[in-house]
Amino acid sequence: MEDVATASTNSIYRQIEFYGFCVISFSAKSLLLIGLPYREWPVNTVYTCLLLLFFYCFFRFRQSMRAPVFVLVCLAAAVAVDILGNKFGLYGHPFGPLRDYDEFAHFAGSGFSAVAAFWLLRAATRRMGFKLSNGLLGFLSTSVAFTYCGWYEILELWDEYFWSGFERIHWWYDTPNDLFYDFLGVIAFIAAAALLFAMQERFAKQPIKELVAVGLRNLVNSMPADLLVFFVTTTAFGLCCWFEIFKLFDQRWFGRIHFVGNRDSAIYLQWELAACVVLGVVVVTVSKLARSRKPSAA
């Protein structure tokens, strides 16, 4: 009994520790993004290196998970794209076939970040004993990465309102246009990451321990409630971000007015995110309660 109690206590402790890591890393990355274009590049570089070191050390020494080098490189590259654009004055000028370097920065920066999201979701769920189907893994990692893109647009709004005082949203189409190139980058990079990991797994010599296969049908039964809330929230908010993109094209192509002020889309996003969090909690709570009552009803 004492051994069982100790194991249970350790499990709860590790869960709380992981939640703490998530809160700290999410807050620290958000602080980096606030005022990122207006800080000196050495400051942003040092800040980024410290975040990467924290990320690597936690998973290496607390979770016994070794992050691949290319994942760390991708995280660094996601910030470097913005730092280099500011250092060399690339913003506000065409970049290749794109109208502005900003579009490339959102495509590449979000894409590089999405690779880390894909690896983290894949590694964490396998550590929990689950093997997500390729389609589900790609869909959920896309939703997670795209949600963070929407969060960045909200941070730009709050940066203007509360902190830096600099104008970060310059035109009515700025936010939804950023989201469009974010999404393109997320899709492209996650497709490449999925192919790379599939090839790596096929040619790996070491045996893989047995994992519970998880697809869309058994997702609710298999996953813990807190992770399900996260998935539902990110999926719903990803759809809201796409709705903002649709409004952009509708206004450009058909002249129906959805955005008037520069901040309109970002203002909508912050309330949509709050609604999606509530929706995630309600949906998962109701589904879990409904399933828990089925055996007793029988």
Side-chain angles (χ1 to χ4, degrees), residues 70-71 74 111-112 114-119 122 137-138 141 185-201:
F70 82 90
V71 171
C74 285
F112 281 125
V115 173
F118 181 91
W119 172 81
R122 179 179 181 272
L137 178 60
S141 54
V186 167
I187 288 294
F189 279 71
I190 281 185
L195 179 62
L196 177 64
F197 278 106
M199 292 175 60
Q200 183 186 48
E201 187 173 303

Side-chain angles (χ1 to χ4, degrees), residues 133-144:
S133 66
N134 292 333
L136 184 60
L137 178 60
F139 174 77
L140 292 178
S141 54
T142 298
S143 298
V144 171

Side-chain angles (χ1 to χ4, degrees), residues 130-210:
F130 304 113
K131 182 180 180 181
L132 303 183
S133 66
N134 292 333
L136 184 60
L137 178 60
F139 174 77
L140 292 178
S141 54
T142 298
S143 298
V144 171
F146 197 36
T147 290
Y148 200 82
C149 297
W151 172 246
Y152 178 60
E153 299 303 321
I154 295 173
L155 283 180
E156 285 192 329
L157 172 70
W158 291 353
D159 198 14
E160 284 192 356
Y161 272 152
F162 307 119
W163 297 305
S164 70
F166 294 104
E167 184 183 43
R168 298 196 61 180
I169 306 175
H170 305 286
W171 303 279
W172 66 265
Y173 56 82
D174 198 344
T175 297
N177 192 67
D178 289 349
L179 289 173
F180 177 65
Y181 283 95
D182 287 333
F183 184 76
L184 293 181
V186 167
I187 288 294
F189 279 71
I190 281 185
L195 179 62
L196 177 64
F197 278 106
M199 292 175 60
Q200 183 186 48
E201 187 173 303
R202 175 174 295 183
F203 295 108
K205 295 181 179 180
Q206 64 271 24
I208 300 175
K209 65 177 182 178
E210 283 194 23

Side-chain angles (χ1 to χ4, degrees), residues 181-295:
Y181 283 95
D182 287 333
F183 184 76
L184 293 181
V186 167
I187 288 294
F189 279 71
I190 281 185
L195 179 62
L196 177 64
F197 278 106
M199 292 175 60
Q200 183 186 48
E201 187 173 303
R202 175 174 295 183
F203 295 108
K205 295 181 179 180
Q206 64 271 24
I208 300 175
K209 65 177 182 178
E210 283 194 23
L211 301 170
V212 177
V214 177
L216 189 59
R217 292 184 178 181
N218 64 334
L219 178 65
V220 175
N221 288 336
S222 303
M223 293 284 105
D226 51 358
L227 194 57
L228 277 176
V229 170
F230 180 67
F231 288 155
V232 172
T233 300
T234 55
T235 300
F237 186 61
L239 293 174
C240 291
C241 291
W242 251 112
F243 186 58
E244 299 300 310
I245 297 172
F246 286 141
K247 288 193 291 185
L248 161 70
F249 289 123
D250 189 44
Q251 185 161 331
R252 275 184 174 172
W253 294 344
F254 303 106
R256 287 185 282 265
I257 304 300
H258 302 283
F259 309 120
V260 178
N262 294 352
R263 299 171 174 172
D264 286 358
S265 182
I267 291 172
Y268 296 150
L269 283 174
Q270 64 178 351
W271 298 117
E272 288 164 352
L273 177 58
C276 289
V277 172
V278 174
L279 176 67
V281 173
V282 171
V283 167
V284 172
T285 301
V286 170
S287 62
K288 288 289 187 180
L289 286 175
R291 291 183 177 276
S292 66
R293 290 178 179 177
K294 278 187 177 180

